[in-house]
Structure formats: C-alpha cells, structure tokens
Amino acid sequence: MSFPLGYTGPLSGIVLGIVFGYVLENAGFGSGCKLTAQLRLKDWAVFKVMFTAIIVASGGLYLMQGLGLVNVARDMFVPSVFIWGSALGGVGIGAGMAIGGYCPGTSLVALFSGKLDGLIFFLGIGLGTLVFNGFSASIESWAWKQVGPDSLTVPQLLHMPVWAVWGLLFAILVGVGYLTRTNQASPAASMSRKASGMTATQHS
C-alpha cells in the first residue's frame, strides 16, 4: 500500500505540498526573520516545528512497519553518507539559509505569500543550481570519495532498537521545548501590571 490516497504520482505530491505549505505559513516560516532568529538562538519555533515533523514521520513509519504496511528493506532506499560531499553541501545550504533567511521550501512559501525576497531567493536557487551543474563534474570524484556509514539507518548506526531512538528524539524535543519555553502573560495582564506599577509609583 502507498500513501497518501494509495497513489504516489503527482496528485499525492500536490496534496502534500499544499498541506506542508499551509503548515509552514501558519507557523510563520514565510518570513525570513524566523529562520535567522533560529540561527541566532533567539526563536526556537523552526527547530520545534521541524523536529516535531521528524517525530511524527518517524513514529508513523515505525507504526506502519509494525502493521506490515511498509517494508523498509523493500520499499525504501537508504543512501550512504558521502562525508566530503555532505560537508560541502551542508556549508553551502547553511550559508544560504543564514544570509537569505530561507531554505528552498520556505522560499516558495514566502513567494506564494507575496513576498519579494522569497522570489529573489528562489531565483538565486535556480541560478546557483545552474552554476553548480557547470563545475560539479570536476569535484565529483572528490565529493564521492570518502564514504561514511553505508546505507545504515540511525538505529542501525547506534545499535539501538527503533523505539529507543524514537524515544530519545522525543525526549530531545520535550527538553528543548521546556528549556526554551516563554512565561509571557497575556497582553491584558501585562498592561494591568504596568498600570499597577505606575499607580504605586505615583502614590509613593
């Protein structure tokens, strides 16, 4: 069985894309300020939303495996880790996200939200892709040379059961949520406290 809608063609991609874009926009990811605030460790919304998505997806996959709906060995491809290529790609996309404030997905959300910087960022992705394709052949042997873990999932790499890895990820999410929680009261209560403080000052 394939999900969603029992179909893996363009229709499922469109449906999931619309839902994903809607979630990102409502989470505020259509603004470049959101991502840069995460990189400055000022706003943890990006981490919480994306890590929650990882938890839900991995938990759903684990459940479907248990129900016999998915066979990882048969239905899924687990790529090997190419250390130098991954490092180069990580630095490149990390720099782009820090400078532009978007990742490829959120740039499209910003674009369809009517933001000009989203359009400029998306055009930059296209131009960067063309430039990279021009010299990718010259670095291919270097980027693919150092191979890391060969087609291993995280539980296999850590020699831990799947449920334990999922539990660890969930604990990280809860821990970050607790440590970055905000204890802000409602605006009305805040205004009331300020007014009370001003009154007390005037009486004194």
Side-chain angles (χ1 to χ4, degrees):
M1 180 181 292
S2 57
F3 291 90
L5 308 178
Y7 184 61
T8 58
L11 179 59
S12 65
I14 292 172
V15 171
L16 288 177
I18 291 173
V19 172
F20 186 57
Y22 176 81
V23 172
L24 289 181
E25 174 62 25
N26 278 270
F29 291 1
S31 169
C33 298
K34 202 74 172 176
L35 182 57
T36 53
Q38 171 67 77
L39 295 176
R40 295 196 306 269
L41 305 180
K42 300 293 186 181
D43 185 340
W44 286 81
V46 174
F47 176 90
K48 292 174 184 176
V49 170
M50 300 310 294
F51 215 78
T52 299
I54 293 173
I55 295 292
V56 172
S58 59
L61 179 60
Y62 180 55
L63 177 62
M64 287 191 290
Q65 284 181 262
L67 295 174
L69 299 175
V70 172
N71 185 316
V72 174
R74 182 194 65 211
D75 302 326
M76 301 186 68
F77 169 70
V78 180
S80 299
V81 175
F82 295 93
I83 296 176
W84 297 124
S86 298
L88 176 64
V91 170
I93 195 170
M97 291 168 66
I99 295 170
Y102 295 110
C103 69
T106 54
S107 69
L108 281 176
V109 172
L111 172 60
F112 283 96
S113 298
K115 294 183 175 65
L116 180 60
D117 58 345
L119 172 61
I120 295 173
F121 192 92
F122 184 70
L123 293 176
I125 292 174
L127 177 61
T129 301
L130 293 176
V131 172
F132 178 78
N133 284 340
F135 69 85
S136 60
S138 61
I139 66 170
E140 184 175 358
S141 60
W142 170 82
W144 291 66
K145 184 177 181 180
Q146 185 67 36
V147 182
D150 188 15
S151 301
L152 295 180
T153 62
V154 174
Q156 291 171 337
L157 182 64
L158 298 179
H159 303 287
M160 295 172 61
V162 175
W163 63 266
V165 173
W166 189 90
L168 178 61
L169 294 177
F170 184 76
I172 292 173
L173 177 62
V174 172
V176 170
Y178 177 78
L179 294 174
T180 61
R181 70 195 187 284
T182 55
N183 295 318
Q184 296 177 349
S186 65
S190 179
M191 291 178 63
S192 177
R193 284 200 301 270
K194 289 181 180 179
S196 298
M198 291 175 63
T199 302
T201 302
Q202 290 172 356
H203 285 305
S204 61

